Amino acid sequence: MRVSVISAERSVFDGEADAVVAPAFDGLVGILPRHAPFMTLLGEGIVNITASGGSVTRLTVMGGFLQVASNVVRIVARRAGPADS
């Protein structure tokens, strides 16, 4: 599935992934390919984006929303950037 993460300042991530785990407003949400259409508010925390090779991209997000439609995950965050290791 295609995943894009953007903040007010810039695009933070744009690529293919096999799984996304994100901090929704009321708990973690997991998204896999062909997920049903879905939209939720984001809370604060770490988004884990798992690529097909198993590599994981970790991003910190604060507020915004997550949308799933047509095998595309869009995360629009007030703030987003690389997570500290």
Side-chain angles (χ1 to χ4, degrees):
M1 70 188 153
R2 190 78 181 169
V3 178
S4 65
V5 180
I6 62 171
S7 69
E9 295 86 27
R10 63 190 172 99
S11 175
V12 179
F13 181 90
D14 188 28
E16 295 294 319
D18 285 347
V20 175
V21 177
F25 186 74
D26 57 353
L28 292 177
V29 62
I31 307 294
L32 297 173
R34 295 175 301 284
H35 194 285
F38 177 73
M39 181 173 258
T40 188
L41 293 173
L42 288 176
E44 295 185 15
I46 303 293
V47 174
N48 289 302
I49 303 168
T50 305
S52 59
S55 64
V56 177
T57 300
R58 293 171 41 87
L59 303 170
T60 300
V61 296
M62 294 180 191
F65 68 90
L66 177 146
Q67 176 194 40
V68 181
S70 301
N71 214 35
V72 176
V73 178
R74 291 179 187 91
I75 296 175
V76 179
R78 283 185 310 174
R79 288 193 218 153
D84 295 332
S85 296

